[in-house]
Structures are given as structure tokens and as C-alpha cells.
Amino acid sequence: MRFAQALKGYCQKKVLLFFILGLSCGVPLNLIGNTLALWTTENGIDLKIIGLFSMMMLPYSFKFLWAPFIDRVQLPFSRKIGHKKMWGLLFQADLMLSILCLSFFKPDTQITTLFFFALLAAFFAASQDIVVDALRIDTLEEDTLKEGSSLYQFGYRTGMLLSGAGLIALSNVIEWGQCYRLAALLIAMGAIALLLVEEPSFKPSRSLTLKELILNPLTDFMHRHRLWLQLIIFIVLYKICNAVLGRMAYPFYTQIGFSKNEIALISGAIGPWITIAGVFLGGLFMLRFGYFKSLFYLGFFEILTSVAYAVLAYLGNNVYAFFGVILFDNIIGGMGGAVFVGFLSSLCTRAYSATQYALLTSVTMIAVSFIASISGYLASFLGWIAFFLLTGALMLPALFLLHHMMKVSDEKSA
């Protein structure tokens, strides 16, 4: 596909809207994550209490529990506004309200209340993700899903950058509460974009039985994908390499002698911009090679990323090598993220888009988080060089399985 032709696909209104919706989904992640941790640290909150704030990510892992209700339950005014759009507007309004409430409390004197509203914001943010993911599947045809998924990731990463490094820099000029109120305005942009999405008409079943909520989405997925079990195993295996490596990245940088300023500049400030560029390249890669081949090629690049980290561990405190590794890691990570979102979206059907996508992402997150939790033990036992080589090796089973599925797919189409 020619570059100009690809750019034309990105410029369609229905595709561009998912950049704004991606931004709206990306903003809360740092607001209730790293940015909130820094705000509470500056107010002298004990590190043990700050560590408990990692529970904010739980709604993202368990969003599959309420996703079926979004698929099936119809809210008032849904027929006029749109079934999932109505759910999205409800979640976005609640999310903005939660963030605004957060902005009026002080961590040093009202930490319990702050924790409550942060958890509430996380729930509504995860719920917003369910709706936007479903709408991306429902409203974009097969020929525009790749562009929409890429721009969604592009917006998501931009939102994370704005609510992370952007708000941290802004907090030097204005107080944290004002920063959070500005962030709430970005969610309002997402609400406007949501209203402009043209959702296809869909009349959900009035039945709210276990069969309709859970069994039908599962059986639909299994009937449409003959290799459904291999697909799920592949999805988990494919993310393990990056998750295990990523969990130990910052401790590694510190242990081999890089200063906080070097880490902040190269990994914290430059890295996210490189990732955003990678997301755009991933979209073009996906349009050129399709899902399976893109995942296969990028899997080998992920292995090379692990090898690059092993080389850096051997070289030690070498700032030029550090920059090179971050450059390569973030480009490949951005490309892989765009392709992976597009791939997962392509596996879901419109009738059960919220449930199926939430299940796929939640299963992946829970499994990968569990495996990544032992990364510290592995690094301590093996040492950094062997640890990074192991993370690269963890990609090999996923690539073998992907090669098998590609072969079966080719035989089926022949």
C-alpha cells in the first residue's frame, strides 16, 4: 500500500474521532497511576500507603465482569443517541466528576477520601475503555479498523504523555488540584468526539440470563475462530516478553549507574515521543503486511530488544548505548502496541464487542501481571544479562504458535 493512500485512510472523520477517544482513555491512566503517586509523595505520604494505590489498576483487570451488561442493557435515550454511546457518555460524566472531586482533596490530610475517589475514577476510566473499544469494533469496517486502531493507540499514548510528563511539568507552575481540573477537560473532549461517532443501530436482547450475558459471547467467539484456544494462549504468550522486561527496566537503569536525570530525560521524556512515532509506523506496518505477518515480524524485533538490553547490561553506564536501546525499544513497543490492539479488535464481533474485547484484554492483563510478578526474583537469580536473554526467549513459544496458526489459515484459504 502506498504511503499517500495510507495517509488518506487516516484522514477519514470516523477514523480521526478515535484519536480523540484514545486520548480521553489514555489520560486517566497516569492521573491515577504515576502522577498521583508523585503528588502524594510530595505531600509526605508513607511509601507503604502509596504502594497500596497500585490497587487502582484492578478495575482494568476485571472490567470483563460488567462488560456484558454494556452489550445487553439499554439505557434511557439509547435509541436516540446510540446504545453504547449512551453508556460512554454516562461513564465519561462520572469520570470527569470523580477527577474533579480528586482535585479538591489534600493528600496529607484526606488520603482515605482521595483513595476512594481515585478508585472510583479508575472504575469509570476502565468502563470508558470498554465502550470505546466496542465502538471501534462496531463502527469501523475491516478496511478502516487498522487505521482506527492505530490512531486510537496514538491518542492513548498522547493522553498518557499529557497526564504524565505534561501535568508533572505543569505542577511546577500551578497547584496539583488545578492540574487535575485541566485533565478533566480532556475527558470532555472525548465526550464531544463520542457524540460525533456514527453508531450502527442495534437492539439488544431484553434477556439478561447467564446464557445471554456470558455463554453466547463465548460460544460466538469459539464458533468463529476454530483455533480459539491457540489464539488465547498466543495472546498471553506474546505479551509476556515485554511485560517481564518492562517491570524491571527502571531498577535496571538505576543499578547499572544511570542518574535520575538521565533516566528522566532519555526514558521518561524522550521515550514516550518515540513510542508515539512507533504507533504511527505500526499502523502503516499493519496496513502493509496484515495482522499475522506484522505480529510475526515484530515478535523477532521484540527478541532483538531483549538482546539490546543484554548488551547494555554488558556495557554498563554508557549513555549513548542507553539512548540507542530506548530508541529501539520504544519504536518497537509503539509499533507492537498498535498492531496488537488492531489484532484483538479484529477477533471480536459487533453483537458482543464489549464483552469479547474486555475478556481478551482482561485475561491477558491478569495472566501477564501474575507472570511478571516474579521478574524481580528472576533478575536477582540470573543476573541482568541472562535475565534479558531469557525475556527474549520467552517470545519464541508465541512465535512458534503464531507460525502454526498462519500455516493453518493459509491451508484453509487455499
Side-chain angles (χ1 to χ4, degrees):
M1 178 177 283
R2 293 180 180 177
F3 184 73
Q5 199 175 351
L7 281 180
K8 187 178 179 181
Y10 279 112
C11 292
Q12 297 177 71
K13 173 194 163 185
K14 61 182 178 180
V15 173
L16 284 169
L17 287 173
F18 282 94
F19 168 78
I20 303 172
L21 288 168
L23 189 146
S24 179
C25 290
V27 165
L29 202 62
N30 271 331
L31 282 183
I32 56 181
N34 296 335
T35 305
L36 185 61
L38 181 60
W39 181 17
T40 50
T41 301
E42 285 185 354
N43 281 266
I45 303 302
D46 188 87
L47 289 177
K48 294 176 183 176
I49 296 175
I50 294 173
L52 291 174
F53 272 59
S54 61
M55 290 174 63
M56 299 304 154
M57 297 299 112
L58 286 176
Y60 285 93
S61 297
F62 293 98
K63 59 187 179 181
F64 67 91
L65 294 174
W66 59 95
F69 293 96
I70 296 171
D71 267 332
R72 301 291 99 188
V73 177
Q74 196 164 24
L75 294 176
F77 308 109
S78 292
R79 290 185 180 180
K80 186 176 181 180
I81 294 175
H83 173 67
K84 286 176 182 135
K85 285 169 63 174
M86 194 64 225
W87 274 109
L89 291 171
L90 175 66
F91 290 138
Q92 286 174 330
D94 290 330
L95 176 59
M96 282 187 280
L97 185 61
S98 301
I99 293 171
L100 286 172
C101 288
L102 265 176
S103 71
F104 290 107
F105 293 100
K106 305 295 181 184
D108 53 346
T109 58
Q110 298 164 308
I111 190 65
T112 304
T113 310
L114 195 78
F115 182 92
F116 170 76
F117 280 107
L119 188 60
L120 207 59
F123 171 79
F124 292 124
S127 302
Q128 177 189 220
D129 281 8
I130 295 171
V131 173
V132 173
D133 290 331
L135 282 172
R136 188 175 65 250
I137 297 162
D138 292 354
T139 61
L140 300 180
E141 297 82 14
E142 189 177 347
D143 60 334
T144 53
L145 185 59
K146 295 182 179 73
E147 293 98 325
S149 298
S150 177
L151 275 186
Y152 169 78
Q153 269 287 294
F154 193 78
Y156 202 97
R157 296 284 184 170
T158 304
M160 288 178 63
L161 185 64
L162 290 173
S163 62
L167 285 192
I168 290 169
L170 193 61
S171 68
N172 291 315
V173 181
I174 60 177
E175 64 172 12
W176 279 109
Q178 290 175 305
C179 290
Y180 271 66
R181 278 164 233 153
L182 286 174
L185 293 177
L186 295 175
I187 310 299
M189 286 176 55
I192 295 170
L194 192 66
L195 285 170
L196 295 174
V197 171
E198 296 178 7
E199 182 182 359
S201 58
F202 173 67
K203 188 177 181 180
S205 170
R206 293 182 180 181
S207 172
L208 294 179
T209 61
L210 180 66
K211 181 179 182 293
E212 184 64 34
L213 290 172
I214 303 295
L215 296 181
N216 284 356
L218 291 177
T219 53
D220 172 81
F221 185 83
M222 289 186 283
H223 286 156
R224 287 186 305 104
H225 303 290
R226 187 161 59 93
L227 302 176
W228 64 271
L229 184 58
Q230 290 96 319
L231 273 171
I232 292 172
I233 294 171
F234 162 73
I235 289 166
V236 173
L237 290 175
Y238 196 81
K239 298 301 289 182
I240 287 174
C241 168
N242 188 262
V244 173
L245 187 153
R247 189 66 61 90
M248 287 292 105
Y250 276 83
F252 166 66
Y253 303 150
T254 304
Q255 281 199 13
I256 63 172
F258 292 110
S259 68
K260 289 182 179 179
N261 287 337
E262 288 171 331
I263 296 170
L265 175 63
I266 297 175
S267 181
I270 299 175
W273 290 104
I274 300 170
T275 301
I276 289 173
V279 168
F280 180 72
L281 290 174
L284 298 177
F285 205 73
M286 188 166 36
L287 289 168
R288 175 66 179 83
F289 297 107
Y291 297 118
F292 276 165
K293 284 186 178 179
S294 295
L295 290 168
F296 192 72
Y297 296 148
L298 288 170
F300 282 104
F301 281 114
E302 288 281 4
I303 294 173
L304 290 178
T305 300
S306 296
V307 173
Y309 271 96
V311 171
L312 181 60
Y314 174 77
L315 294 174
N317 191 348
N318 184 314
V319 72
Y320 298 106
F322 182 36
F323 179 78
V325 169
I326 293 299
L327 178 69
F328 188 70
D329 182 22
N330 282 270
I331 285 178
I332 299 304
M335 292 176 71
V339 174
F340 198 72
V341 167
F343 173 64
L344 291 187
S345 300
S346 72
L347 297 177
C348 304
T349 188
R350 288 180 176 179
Y352 306 107
S353 53
T355 305
Q356 290 177 349
Y357 194 89
L359 274 169
L360 288 173
T361 53
S362 295
V363 166
T364 305
M365 188 176 291
I366 292 169
V368 167
S369 296
F370 175 75
I371 295 167
S373 66
I374 64 170
S375 57
Y377 295 98
L378 290 172
S380 300
F381 178 73
L382 297 172
W384 287 119
I385 295 176
F387 170 75
F388 288 123
L389 293 176
L390 173 65
T391 62
L394 289 174
M395 176 60 77
L396 293 175
L399 294 181
F400 282 124
L401 188 54
L402 179 59
H403 182 264
H404 167 69
M405 291 191 295
M406 289 168 67
K407 188 177 179 181
V408 172
S409 178
D410 289 340
E411 290 174 353
K412 190 177 178 181
S413 60

